[in-house]
Amino acid sequence: MPVNILETKRMNKARIARFISGQGSTSKAEISNKLNLSMPTTLQNVKELVEAGIVVEEGEYESTGGRKAKALSIVRDAGYAAGVDITNNHITMVMVNTRKEIIQSHRIRRPFQNSIQYYDCLEQGIREFVRKAGTEKGKIIGVGFSLPGIVDRAQKILIRSHTLNVENVSFRNLESSLGFPCELENDANSAACAELDDKITNAVYLSLSNTIGGALYLGGQLYKGENFRSGEFGHMVIERNGRTCYCGKKGCIDAYCSAKILQDYAGGSLEDFFEKVRNQDAEVQEVWNDYLDSLAIAVTNLRMAFDCSIVLGGYVGGYLEEFMPELAKRVLQDNKFDLDTSYLKTGKYKFEASAYGATLGFVDSFFETV
């Protein structure tokens, strides 16, 4: 069989596997229709994916007059990927199966140190996490690291992180010690991959964690910028000569919308902070109102710049759903071009988004080899 025909066949099979993964559950007819493939091509590729243990027929759709269509899903234990999110004070780990389901998660408090001891602890923590997850070592596709800074993915180097106060940290030794392929990604980009599904074409992701970050999706692709600094929304200035940011500038969004601002008023706990908001604590309510005012300005500026959906994620984003009416009122006061805030959404994750997003590249690459 000619090489180009074999490559086309491989690509079709990978496309079908990725489509099934993205849909969660689908039918042969939907695959044929959505991917513009002939039914014989679809049937043959699905048959081979089932025989390879990648796809399983699981249940049936309601009949529309003929035979009930079989529901197709990715096999849960075909493979696994681990994700590790490193922050100033915590390490968050998740294990994800080939259905992109989180089957295990663990978060530990461990202040970051650029030291041999820290990386030894990180390695042992990952090993223990993998062991407790009960996954077969041979089925682990890789480990993705989410890091707050600029990364060189090809060389597996954290080039610079203001948050962690480090430069040029290589993860190649850790990769060698773990014995799994490893990839590095910026934390906000990872979180955006977790929060923005395949159906979103254009969107801004604003991460409201201990630092403010973000990511920009245009045409279904992550735009990283010419110098890989796209999405540094935390360092957009919203008040000249305002509060001092950790970067040294004054008036940055980070100095007004960081999760740490809220945590400081509740002994370091966001959960306690929002409980006090719900209980109408006067001092906390004043802090919360100031926070919402600043966030509304940030949201309005992003909407004016990009005119697309905005997803609010990160630690604070995980608590925002019940407070969206309050935020919407403030946004509409600043934004005179939109009639409503239907473009504004909250993320699904509180702490796991970046770790989860760091696994998805491995899961998608797994389907390229089927």
Side-chain angles (χ1 to χ4, degrees), residues 192-209:
C193 289
E195 298 286 10
L196 305 178
D197 60 39
D198 298 335
K199 301 176 183 64
I200 294 178
T201 302
N202 303 311
V204 168
Y205 175 76
L206 182 62
S207 177
L208 304 168
S209 291

Side-chain angles (χ1 to χ4, degrees), residues 9 55 62 82 94 132 139 154 180 198 208 261 284 304 306 342 346 362:
K9 182 178 176 63
V55 171
E62 289 297 321
V94 300
K132 287 185 175 180
K139 287 189 174 183
F180 302 119
D198 298 335
L208 304 168
I261 293 169
V284 166
M304 292 300 99
F306 300 108
S342 57
T346 59
F362 280 111

Side-chain angles (χ1 to χ4, degrees), residues 90-254:
H90 293 91
I91 300 171
T92 302
M93 293 175 280
V94 300
M95 185 69 72
V96 174
N97 63 21
T98 35
R99 283 195 186 179
K100 299 183 179 179
E101 300 168 330
I102 297 175
I103 62 168
Q104 184 92 352
S105 65
H106 184 54
R107 187 170 188 253
I108 59 174
R109 183 172 180 82
R110 180 79 183 186
F112 176 82
Q113 292 179 329
N114 189 25
S115 66
I116 293 174
Q117 292 80 3
Y118 178 88
Y119 297 115
D120 284 345
C121 178
L122 178 62
E123 178 188 338
Q124 293 306 313
I126 294 171
R127 290 185 183 280
E128 181 67 9
F129 177 71
V130 170
R131 187 188 68 79
K132 287 185 175 180
T135 53
E136 293 180 39
K137 191 173 180 180
K139 287 189 174 183
I140 295 180
I141 312 161
V143 180
F145 288 90
S146 161
L147 300 161
I150 301 170
V151 302
D152 182 333
R153 297 189 66 193
Q155 298 300 319
K156 305 185 194 304
I157 294 172
L158 174 59
I159 298 173
R160 183 169 62 257
S161 172
H162 286 295
T163 308
L164 302 180
N165 194 29
V166 294
E167 292 184 355
N168 298 319
V169 177
S170 174
F171 278 71
R172 283 177 289 189
N173 287 342
L174 183 58
E175 178 183 50
S176 178
S177 299
L178 286 172
F180 302 119
C182 294
E183 295 288 348
L184 274 59
E185 185 55 274
N186 167 266
D187 57 349
N189 289 344
S190 292
C193 289
E195 298 286 10
L196 305 178
D197 60 39
D198 298 335
K199 301 176 183 64
I200 294 178
T201 302
N202 303 311
V204 168
Y205 175 76
L206 182 62
S207 177
L208 304 168
S209 291
N210 287 348
T211 57
I212 303 300
L216 179 60
Y217 263 70
L218 296 176
Q221 298 291 322
L222 181 64
Y223 176 72
K224 295 192 175 183
E226 295 180 359
N227 299 293
F228 304 101
R229 292 197 293 265
S230 158
E232 289 286 356
F233 303 132
H235 301 294
M236 294 168 56
V237 175
I238 58 173
E239 186 172 335
R240 183 178 292 276
N241 296 321
R243 300 174 189 169
T244 301
C245 177
Y246 69 86
C247 74
K249 295 195 308 180
K250 291 183 179 292
C252 291
I253 291 174
D254 200 291

